[in-house]
Amino acid sequence: MTEQRRLRVLIVDDQTLIRTGFRLILTARGLTVVGEAADGVEALAAVREHRPDVVLLDIRMPNMDGLEAAKRILAAHPQCRVLMLTTFDLDQYVYAALAAGASGFLLKDVTPEHLVAAVRLVSTGDALLAPSITRRLVARYATGQHTPHSTPPVRPAPHRDLAALTPREVEVLTLIGRGLSNAELADTLHLSEATVKTHVARIFSKLALRDRVQAVIVAYETGLVAPGDNDA
């Protein structure tokens, strides 16, 4: 994405005040809000019409919730990035949303600066959550450690073929699953950061991964990493 083109954002939330507030913040800082929607059904139609770069998507909405909407949006528009909106930190739906392809999460009381930075970050294809934080979330939800009243997580289908990876790439994916950054990977494997970035890019390409969040999930789902490995 060129610097000249303004980021196009769709805001989806059933609360009018939330949508209005986010619109004012984003437009004041040079981003283009192409539309708003009040539920998942409206969101699907709005994405088809406006083709946004980033969708701010509430998790809990009437008619169609954010999880189902995220899955459908990303299946039909894989180039789009989804940031989930939630009222509570560590919402029980976090893992399900990550598995659905969300690039990160924002609390609804996010500061204006953090909101804009988050939208810009995920638009580049990166993930909002730090790998170490993501690792702990996935470790909790992938092993079923949700509360008795929470909704069980939606797990991605086991379609990842690790046989496509070289032994070095498997090693890199394992370390990504343990929460290591590119700099830490380079130090651990005695490689340059440029070489590490090449390995990471090839892993993402071979396994059709969107970002490091999905890489962490795959590392857990395939058994490369177990809960508690290098736990921080």
Side-chain angles (χ1 to χ4, degrees):
M1 182 179 301
T2 64
E3 188 66 23
Q4 289 73 25
R5 189 168 82 80
R6 289 158 63 102
L7 283 176
R8 296 165 54 83
V9 183
L10 176 70
I11 303 171
V12 185
D13 194 289
D14 60 345
Q15 298 181 52
T16 303
L17 286 177
I18 293 291
R19 299 199 307 271
T20 300
F22 280 10
R23 173 186 282 273
L24 292 173
I25 290 169
L26 295 173
T27 55
R29 286 161 176 79
L31 282 71
T32 300
V33 176
V34 295
E36 299 179 13
D39 59 43
V41 175
E42 291 183 8
L44 296 179
V47 170
R48 286 194 299 269
E49 178 181 357
H50 299 295
R51 300 299 175 98
D53 300 305
V54 178
V55 179
L56 293 174
L57 186 60
D58 189 17
I59 290 182
R60 300 174 183 177
M61 297 181 295
N63 301 322
M64 179 189 295
D65 66 23
L67 295 179
E68 182 61 27
K71 287 188 288 186
R72 296 192 187 190
I73 289 170
L74 294 170
H77 309 278
Q79 78 286 352
C80 187
R81 295 293 180 263
V82 170
L83 269 174
M84 305 301 296
L85 300 172
T86 180
T87 304
F88 304 103
D89 195 10
L90 298 185
D91 188 289
Q92 66 261 36
Y93 300 109
V94 164
Y95 179 81
L98 292 177
S103 294
F105 292 84
L106 288 174
L107 294 178
K108 290 188 180 181
D109 61 357
V110 61
T111 65
E113 293 75 19
H114 189 191
L115 172 63
V116 174
V119 171
R120 293 190 184 281
L121 176 66
V122 300
S123 73
T124 67
D126 207 343
L128 179 62
L129 298 179
S132 59
I133 296 173
T134 305
R135 175 172 51 83
R136 288 194 292 272
L137 288 171
V138 175
R140 176 180 176 185
Y141 290 98
T143 56
Q145 297 175 23
H146 45 281
T147 64
H149 301 293
S150 67
T151 300
V154 177
R155 300 187 179 213
H159 63 286
R160 312 295 186 181
D161 185 5
L162 297 186
L165 304 182
T166 66
R168 174 63 90 183
E169 288 165 352
V170 171
E171 187 176 17
V172 170
L173 178 58
T174 302
L175 294 175
I176 290 175
R178 291 176 178 171
L180 272 67
S181 66
N182 282 350
E184 292 167 334
L185 282 168
D187 184 62
T188 300
L189 300 175
H190 306 291
L191 300 171
S192 69
E193 281 199 54
T195 300
V196 166
K197 290 179 181 178
T198 298
H199 284 309
V200 172
R202 288 175 178 167
I203 292 168
F204 284 11
S205 176
K206 289 180 179 180
L207 300 184
L209 302 175
R210 296 168 61 85
D211 50 39
R212 294 179 86 94
V213 171
Q214 286 198 334
V216 173
I217 291 174
V218 169
Y220 274 93
E221 293 287 347
T222 57
L224 290 179
V225 179
D229 285 357
N230 287 357
D231 199 15

